[in-house]
Amino acid sequence: MAEIPPGAGALQGLRVIVTRPLHQAGELQHMLESHGAETLLIPAIEIQAPANSDALDEALRNMGRYGWAVFTSANAVDRVSARARELGLPLMANLFENVRVCAIGTATKAVLASHGCPVALMPNEYVAESLAEAFESVPLHGVNVLLPRAAVARDIVPDALRQLGATVDVVEAYRNGIPADSSQAIADLLARGTHVDWLIFTSGSTVKNFSPWAASPC
């Protein structure tokens, strides 16, 4: 695997696979290409609608019962906003007006801000363990907390909030699917013997979804 030297143009001549979803890959691609890299966008993840929206719909129609909402990804914010529009509900800024919002990190906070939702709490590190720790000084006994997230996710955050006395509604806001076209793209790379210097993964889901395609495409 090639070493990345410091400085502008440091990636000149290197071929990099970006596995982010199509709608989120542009900024990363631009950054890599501005340093000279050749990028291949092969998404290992695709954000899909939940298998069943009933739980999310009920939560959004009854936001008045929640004291907190916890967003562990920008995708959750976008999906909640989209579903609220589909249901004819108020925009997120109004829907969450009386709900304190927690964001796992700066990217999620920025997306919330774009929807007019201020963030009341954010952990020092952008991982579930740190998010759970951030709530340790927050009074949660008897408080209803909404946690919209992917269909498959770790239970560190809801378990920790329940231990602090909260009632947590975990609702499926989206699914992390595998893009149909990406499997063929990887197969084509392998068939051609295309050399790849770097693979960039931005989440555990991208690693998990990419692994069955090839033991090593480099």
Side-chain angles (χ1 to χ4, degrees):
M1 189 69 71
E3 295 279 337
I4 295 183
L11 301 180
Q12 191 69 43
L14 297 181
R15 184 177 289 121
V16 182
I17 289 181
V18 176
T19 62
R20 294 204 80 183
L22 281 171
H23 71 287
Q24 295 177 328
E27 183 177 354
L28 178 57
Q29 274 192 290
H30 175 74
M31 180 185 68
L32 292 168
E33 290 171 358
S34 69
H35 287 278
E38 175 191 349
T39 61
L40 302 175
L41 177 56
I42 305 179
I45 189 171
E46 181 179 68
I47 306 305
Q48 300 174 347
N52 188 310
S53 297
D54 289 351
L56 176 61
D57 294 353
E58 181 182 358
L60 294 179
R61 289 186 174 115
N62 295 278
M63 285 304 301
R65 71 188 183 196
Y66 295 106
W68 279 89
V70 178
F71 288 94
T72 55
S73 74
N75 290 320
V77 180
D78 286 337
R79 286 303 308 161
V80 166
S81 176
R83 188 57 182 166
R85 289 196 304 270
E86 291 167 1
L87 294 174
L89 296 173
L91 297 176
M92 281 191 67
N94 297 319
L95 195 61
F96 288 79
E97 184 177 10
N98 297 313
V99 181
R100 300 187 75 188
V101 175
C102 173
I104 196 170
T106 53
T108 304
K109 180 180 179 180
V111 176
L112 283 162
S114 72
H115 290 288
C117 295
V119 170
L121 183 67
M122 190 173 72
N124 294 324
E125 297 181 50
Y126 309 152
V127 293
E129 290 82 356
S130 185
L131 189 151
E133 291 173 2
F135 271 101
E136 290 180 354
S137 60
V138 177
L140 285 180
H141 186 73
V143 175
N144 292 321
V145 178
L146 175 63
L147 175 54
R149 66 178 192 180
V152 178
R154 296 189 299 166
D155 287 329
I156 291 173
V157 173
D159 287 349
L161 296 180
R162 287 172 182 135
Q163 289 177 6
L164 294 171
T167 298
V168 184
D169 288 346
V170 180
V171 300
E172 180 183 338
Y174 64 97
R175 292 177 296 146
N176 289 321
I178 301 176
D181 294 343
S182 294
S183 294
Q184 186 59 51
I186 288 294
D188 291 344
L189 280 180
L190 292 172
R192 293 194 302 267
T194 302
H195 174 77
V196 174
D197 297 284
W198 289 90
L199 286 165
I200 296 183
F201 297 107
T202 55
S203 71
S205 294
T206 57
V207 176
K208 179 181 177 182
N209 291 350
F210 191 93
S211 297
W213 292 339
S216 175
C218 298

